[in-house]
Amino acid sequence: MINEHSTENEVLIEGCIKGDRQYQILLFRKYKNTVYSLIYKTLGSSYDVDDIIQQVFIRIFNSLKKFKGLSSLDTWVYRITTKVCIDQLRKKYRKRQISIINSSETIDNSFPSERSPLKEQEHQELRQQIENGLNKLSIEKRLVVSMFEMEGFSLQDIAKILKKPIGTVKSRLFHGRKELAQHLRNFIEE
Amino acid sequence: MKKLNNQETDPVVKGLQKLLSALTFKERSEQQWQVLENNLFAQLDEIESKSHPVKRWRYSFGFPFQFGRGAVVATSITLCVVLLSTLFFGILPHTTAPLVESRILGVRGQVVVTDENASEVGFQQVTVAQHNLDTFDKGAILKANQIIEASEQAKLVVQIDNQSHFILSENSKLTVRKANSREIELYLHRGEFFCSLKKRDKSQTFTVLTPNTISRIIGTIFTIRTHANDNDKRITNLSVFKGKVKISNYEEYLGHDFISSGQSIQVSTKERGDVFSLDKDQMPIRSLSLLKLLSNSNNATDSMGMLDIRSEPLGAEVYIHGEPVGKTPLLTKYRKGAYEITVKREGFNPWSSIVSLAEGKIAFVEPHLSKDSSKIDMMPPFVSAKKRRAPLRSSQYKSSLPSADMHDFSLNPAFIEALIQMTIGEYQKALVVLDSLKVIPGISLTNKVEIINKIAECYRGMGNFHKTLGILDMKYRGESNPVRKSNLLWEMIILKANCLGDFNGAKANLQTYIHTYPQGSWIETAYAKLGEVYVLLENYAKAVSTYKAHIQRFGSGKNVENSLYTLANINRSKLDNCKEALHWYSKLIKTYPHTSFMGSALFERAECYRAYGMPRKAKKDYEQYLSLFPTGHLYGKCRAHLALLP
């Protein structure tokens, strides 16, 4: 759960506000993995994840002095991340660049998988289908579904991060799941 | 923040969850993260440098207020002040002006400077060398995005401003991340960075990063070393010689430490490391001296340069334009110009070269002296010994110094100051400091002894050997430890024979040494030296008996070869005893077939045979000499004498 009282975070925040590079590096290293995971799972592979991670952290460093400590640092960092993700999704929606199928493989520079080539191909296909399904959801539903189902946030945390009533989050999750399941019906074993 | 309520009953949702949980996403490699991190912070730097011009002014004027909503008026006032000062005084607060005073002072070996901003092609690479130092004008070094790499055996001395300097040691790589009057940020990839920094004011920062640490420096003398060990684990060592340095490990946030003067810390990847006191052996006195001399020399507006002379082996005499100036290692200031430098050491070929010294620059002179095998061949031993007037080699002086009793006191700043003064040849100044330290109330006996040792060294450096001897004698009388006592006695022997020419005194001390310490560390040498002293006192009978005793007792000692040759020579040229001389020459040639005395021994034996009426044997020796030493200095004589034989 979110740790509301952390002296380490206070030190970190203070250092970052002063513009101390050392503390900025620490903050970056602390949150980089979670931020990356959230971005990747929310947006899919068609985005320049590196660029978005940079945007998130630049926004964090620039607006840390506005951080009032009403929520925990974790919540605040995720909130900024989701905001940046929403901005990205909106931009993409506006440009009607929905298709991700062609571009999904181009930035894959991960380590070779241990799976067999056939399994790997199936996995790739599934991932593309999930990304396609997520793309079909509205931004709000997509965010809640990926945060809840893929990133493992609790409903309470999502409500805090998105600053929405828990009922709204629940409703978005319910409808989002339904739409995604409909899209992936061929893959779901009942 | 991770758990969810996973009590779904709907099979479709369950299926969806199963599907989504089976999905794996690619992991990022450490390298990818590093690239991202570098890009991110480079971007941040750019944003910071482009934005907030007002903020920079605020820093320059030292106004502490923040630019919140309520500070608009104050901001306006600041701007007005800036504009007015610009109008009236023509001064613009260039707080982030480039470093105009930075320049390369000296270089040794190969140092490559890569400037990523230098040309449109992308980067420019320049190899810095002694001869092209002038191509690096003021401000040409220490610019943002420069990479400075010192290869093996290389060294670079750079001036940051008129009172701050750094030395980049061999096998080091340094990237200049920021360099302006307000902020200097250096990244040491590997190697050693030694710096003496003038105190910065509050708005100025000086940061040195290594792959695992950040050090903030306000104004101090320190050294940072970083390397990866066998397990690729990053290790950074910070040693502080003056002032304080704040260091933190940023790989794993483990807080920060303040390292004070005389302390050192080792920070490795996941350990904060303990702070410990610096060992005397860790004191880089030589570098400290150089930095000290540099910061002093910049106060003067003279046209001086600096000569840093270090020979291999050390302890060689240095002559500038034929005048002796001291022994290596030698650090000394000279006016700009060309100097003929000669470095000589007994038993080695002299080295000589013309060195040109530029104003404000350092010239590194580092000759490797080669062993001289022909010199002994050229001169009969007694002539050379008499010329030398100092039969005991000075190198033995140093090794004879007891080192076991040197402790702690080395970290006292005044003491370090004295050591530095001693290294740069300012013995008089060092003596003043040491004299004041000696009388500090409550000083321990060990420390007092060490100070007295240093005082003795100062007197020695000043050429006042009588005073040095007086101190040694006093210590010798007061010493109860037999090992230390024997070392002190040996030191006195060397001083008397080497520096004072007091051979009678040396003889008496050598006799005492041989008698009192028959198992002493210098016993074998003592016999040989006593023989030599007798030769110098022209007491040949005693010399012969001493050499014989030496050869008998230490059949395979390191000085026996020398003794055999000298013994043969005494018999031949001083006692006219050809029979004895033949015996010892033959023994030398037989026992040491590779001896450096071979040429002379063969010739002298041939002369003996000739005088003794054995022309056949003489002929054989002459011929052997001619075949073995066709360029030997006795070649002509040999041929002439051979022609005389029937």
Side-chain angles (χ1 to χ4, degrees), chain B residues 156-170:
Chain B
L156 184 77
V157 185
V158 172
Q159 166 178 308
I160 304 167
D161 55 49
N162 58 6
Q163 279 172 49
S164 308
H165 304 84
F166 72 78
I167 303 171
L168 190 68
S169 305
E170 58 179 2

PDB file of all heavy atoms in Angstrom, chain B residues 156-170:
ATOM      1  N   LEU B 156      48.260  15.045 -16.751  1.00  0.00           N
ATOM      2  CA  LEU B 156      47.877  16.360 -17.248  1.00  0.00           C
ATOM      3  C   LEU B 156      47.654  17.291 -16.062  1.00  0.00           C
ATOM      4  O   LEU B 156      46.967  16.929 -15.109  1.00  0.00           O
ATOM      5  CB  LEU B 156      46.586  16.242 -18.074  1.00  0.00           C
ATOM      6  CG  LEU B 156      46.112  17.520 -18.742  1.00  0.00           C
ATOM      7  CD1 LEU B 156      46.951  17.802 -19.969  1.00  0.00           C
ATOM      8  CD2 LEU B 156      44.656  17.406 -19.162  1.00  0.00           C
ATOM      9  N   VAL B 157      48.240  18.464 -16.141  1.00  0.00           N
ATOM     10  CA  VAL B 157      48.035  19.447 -15.073  1.00  0.00           C
ATOM     11  C   VAL B 157      47.250  20.615 -15.662  1.00  0.00           C
ATOM     12  O   VAL B 157      47.658  21.192 -16.666  1.00  0.00           O
ATOM     13  CB  VAL B 157      49.373  19.945 -14.498  1.00  0.00           C
ATOM     14  CG1 VAL B 157      49.133  20.859 -13.315  1.00  0.00           C
ATOM     15  CG2 VAL B 157      50.252  18.786 -14.087  1.00  0.00           C
ATOM     16  N   VAL B 158      46.115  20.908 -15.064  1.00  0.00           N
ATOM     17  CA  VAL B 158      45.236  21.939 -15.606  1.00  0.00           C
ATOM     18  C   VAL B 158      44.955  23.001 -14.548  1.00  0.00           C
ATOM     19  O   VAL B 158      44.759  22.688 -13.372  1.00  0.00           O
ATOM     20  CB  VAL B 158      43.906  21.316 -16.098  1.00  0.00           C
ATOM     21  CG1 VAL B 158      42.899  22.384 -16.488  1.00  0.00           C
ATOM     22  CG2 VAL B 158      44.146  20.388 -17.264  1.00  0.00           C
ATOM     23  N   GLN B 159      44.956  24.241 -14.998  1.00  0.00           N
ATOM     24  CA  GLN B 159      44.566  25.332 -14.107  1.00  0.00           C
ATOM     25  C   GLN B 159      43.078  25.607 -14.322  1.00  0.00           C
ATOM     26  O   GLN B 159      42.632  25.748 -15.461  1.00  0.00           O
ATOM     27  CB  GLN B 159      45.397  26.567 -14.455  1.00  0.00           C
ATOM     28  CG  GLN B 159      44.846  27.827 -13.830  1.00  0.00           C
ATOM     29  CD  GLN B 159      45.705  29.034 -14.142  1.00  0.00           C
ATOM     30  OE1 GLN B 159      46.908  29.034 -13.947  1.00  0.00           O
ATOM     31  NE2 GLN B 159      45.065  30.077 -14.625  1.00  0.00           N
ATOM     32  N   ILE B 160      42.319  25.642 -13.251  1.00  0.00           N
ATOM     33  CA  ILE B 160      40.887  25.939 -13.370  1.00  0.00           C
ATOM     34  C   ILE B 160      40.705  27.456 -13.283  1.00  0.00           C
ATOM     35  O   ILE B 160      40.095  28.083 -14.123  1.00  0.00           O
ATOM     36  CB  ILE B 160      40.073  25.227 -12.266  1.00  0.00           C
ATOM     37  CG1 ILE B 160      40.333  23.717 -12.312  1.00  0.00           C
ATOM     38  CG2 ILE B 160      38.583  25.528 -12.411  1.00  0.00           C
ATOM     39  CD1 ILE B 160      39.850  22.965 -11.113  1.00  0.00           C
ATOM     40  N   ASP B 161      41.224  28.030 -12.202  1.00  0.00           N
ATOM     41  CA  ASP B 161      41.331  29.480 -12.130  1.00  0.00           C
ATOM     42  C   ASP B 161      42.661  29.766 -11.456  1.00  0.00           C
ATOM     43  O   ASP B 161      43.419  28.837 -11.200  1.00  0.00           O
ATOM     44  CB  ASP B 161      40.135  30.102 -11.394  1.00  0.00           C
ATOM     45  CG  ASP B 161      39.948  29.514 -10.018  1.00  0.00           C
ATOM     46  OD1 ASP B 161      40.939  29.449  -9.276  1.00  0.00           O
ATOM     47  OD2 ASP B 161      38.831  29.117  -9.683  1.00  0.00           O
ATOM     48  N   ASN B 162      42.946  31.028 -11.165  1.00  0.00           N
ATOM     49  CA  ASN B 162      44.327  31.292 -10.754  1.00  0.00           C
ATOM     50  C   ASN B 162      44.744  30.652  -9.437  1.00  0.00           C
ATOM     51  O   ASN B 162      45.918  30.624  -9.124  1.00  0.00           O
ATOM     52  CB  ASN B 162      44.629  32.797 -10.776  1.00  0.00           C
ATOM     53  CG  ASN B 162      43.679  33.539  -9.864  1.00  0.00           C
ATOM     54  OD1 ASN B 162      42.891  32.921  -9.153  1.00  0.00           O
ATOM     55  ND2 ASN B 162      43.739  34.855  -9.868  1.00  0.00           N
ATOM     56  N   GLN B 163      43.789  30.117  -8.676  1.00  0.00           N
ATOM     57  CA  GLN B 163      44.214  29.438  -7.450  1.00  0.00           C
ATOM     58  C   GLN B 163      43.706  28.006  -7.359  1.00  0.00           C
ATOM     59  O   GLN B 163      43.750  27.377  -6.313  1.00  0.00           O
ATOM     60  CB  GLN B 163      43.743  30.217  -6.232  1.00  0.00           C
ATOM     61  CG  GLN B 163      44.644  31.394  -5.914  1.00  0.00           C
ATOM     62  CD  GLN B 163      44.039  32.234  -4.839  1.00  0.00           C
ATOM     63  OE1 GLN B 163      43.610  31.745  -3.810  1.00  0.00           O
ATOM     64  NE2 GLN B 163      43.985  33.522  -5.080  1.00  0.00           N
ATOM     65  N   SER B 164      43.145  27.508  -8.444  1.00  0.00           N
ATOM     66  CA  SER B 164      42.623  26.137  -8.426  1.00  0.00           C
ATOM     67  C   SER B 164      43.239  25.352  -9.573  1.00  0.00           C
ATOM     68  O   SER B 164      43.296  25.841 -10.699  1.00  0.00           O
ATOM     69  CB  SER B 164      41.106  26.137  -8.586  1.00  0.00           C
ATOM     70  OG  SER B 164      40.525  27.002  -7.664  1.00  0.00           O
ATOM     71  N   HIS B 165      43.675  24.161  -9.248  1.00  0.00           N
ATOM     72  CA  HIS B 165      44.321  23.326 -10.259  1.00  0.00           C
ATOM     73  C   HIS B 165      43.921  21.884 -10.066  1.00  0.00           C
ATOM     74  O   HIS B 165      43.533  21.495  -8.977  1.00  0.00           O
ATOM     75  CB  HIS B 165      45.847  23.409 -10.126  1.00  0.00           C
ATOM     76  CG  HIS B 165      46.376  24.796 -10.194  1.00  0.00           C
ATOM     77  ND1 HIS B 165      46.426  25.620  -9.092  1.00  0.00           N
ATOM     78  CD2 HIS B 165      46.852  25.514 -11.231  1.00  0.00           C
ATOM     79  CE1 HIS B 165      46.921  26.794  -9.454  1.00  0.00           C
ATOM     80  NE2 HIS B 165      47.174  26.764 -10.742  1.00  0.00           N
ATOM     81  N   PHE B 166      44.030  21.118 -11.127  1.00  0.00           N
ATOM     82  CA  PHE B 166      43.880  19.679 -10.922  1.00  0.00           C
ATOM     83  C   PHE B 166      44.899  18.903 -11.727  1.00  0.00           C
ATOM     84  O   PHE B 166      45.443  19.393 -12.722  1.00  0.00           O
ATOM     85  CB  PHE B 166      42.449  19.196 -11.181  1.00  0.00           C
ATOM     86  CG  PHE B 166      42.010  19.168 -12.621  1.00  0.00           C
ATOM     87  CD1 PHE B 166      42.410  18.132 -13.471  1.00  0.00           C
ATOM     88  CD2 PHE B 166      41.160  20.139 -13.126  1.00  0.00           C
ATOM     89  CE1 PHE B 166      41.978  18.087 -14.785  1.00  0.00           C
ATOM     90  CE2 PHE B 166      40.728  20.106 -14.439  1.00  0.00           C
ATOM     91  CZ  PHE B 166      41.148  19.068 -15.272  1.00  0.00           C
ATOM     92  N   ILE B 167      45.154  17.680 -11.259  1.00  0.00           N
ATOM     93  CA  ILE B 167      46.067  16.786 -11.955  1.00  0.00           C
ATOM     94  C   ILE B 167      45.265  15.547 -12.339  1.00  0.00           C
ATOM     95  O   ILE B 167      44.609  14.950 -11.492  1.00  0.00           O
ATOM     96  CB  ILE B 167      47.243  16.357 -11.045  1.00  0.00           C
ATOM     97  CG1 ILE B 167      48.003  17.585 -10.529  1.00  0.00           C
ATOM     98  CG2 ILE B 167      48.183  15.408 -11.777  1.00  0.00           C
ATOM     99  CD1 ILE B 167      49.032  17.273  -9.457  1.00  0.00           C
ATOM    100  N   LEU B 168      45.303  15.216 -13.595  1.00  0.00           N
ATOM    101  CA  LEU B 168      44.632  13.990 -14.040  1.00  0.00           C
ATOM    102  C   LEU B 168      45.729  12.959 -14.270  1.00  0.00           C
ATOM    103  O   LEU B 168      46.629  13.165 -15.078  1.00  0.00           O
ATOM    104  CB  LEU B 168      43.862  14.264 -15.332  1.00  0.00           C
ATOM    105  CG  LEU B 168      42.922  13.157 -15.792  1.00  0.00           C
ATOM    106  CD1 LEU B 168      41.752  13.018 -14.826  1.00  0.00           C
ATOM    107  CD2 LEU B 168      42.385  13.432 -17.184  1.00  0.00           C
ATOM    108  N   SER B 169      45.638  11.866 -13.538  1.00  0.00           N
ATOM    109  CA  SER B 169      46.727  10.881 -13.593  1.00  0.00           C
ATOM    110  C   SER B 169      46.569   9.929 -14.755  1.00  0.00           C
ATOM    111  O   SER B 169      45.573   9.971 -15.477  1.00  0.00           O
ATOM    112  CB  SER B 169      46.777  10.097 -12.291  1.00  0.00           C
ATOM    113  OG  SER B 169      46.877  10.980 -11.221  1.00  0.00           O
ATOM    114  N   GLU B 170      47.539   9.038 -14.870  1.00  0.00           N
ATOM    115  CA  GLU B 170      47.545   8.092 -15.993  1.00  0.00           C
ATOM    116  C   GLU B 170      46.302   7.193 -15.985  1.00  0.00           C
ATOM    117  O   GLU B 170      45.695   6.970 -14.946  1.00  0.00           O
ATOM    118  CB  GLU B 170      48.807   7.243 -15.942  1.00  0.00           C
ATOM    119  CG  GLU B 170      48.945   6.473 -14.644  1.00  0.00           C
ATOM    120  CD  GLU B 170      50.187   5.602 -14.608  1.00  0.00           C
ATOM    121  OE1 GLU B 170      50.962   5.615 -15.557  1.00  0.00           O
ATOM    122  OE2 GLU B 170      50.336   4.901 -13.610  1.00  0.00           O
TER     123      GLU B 170
END
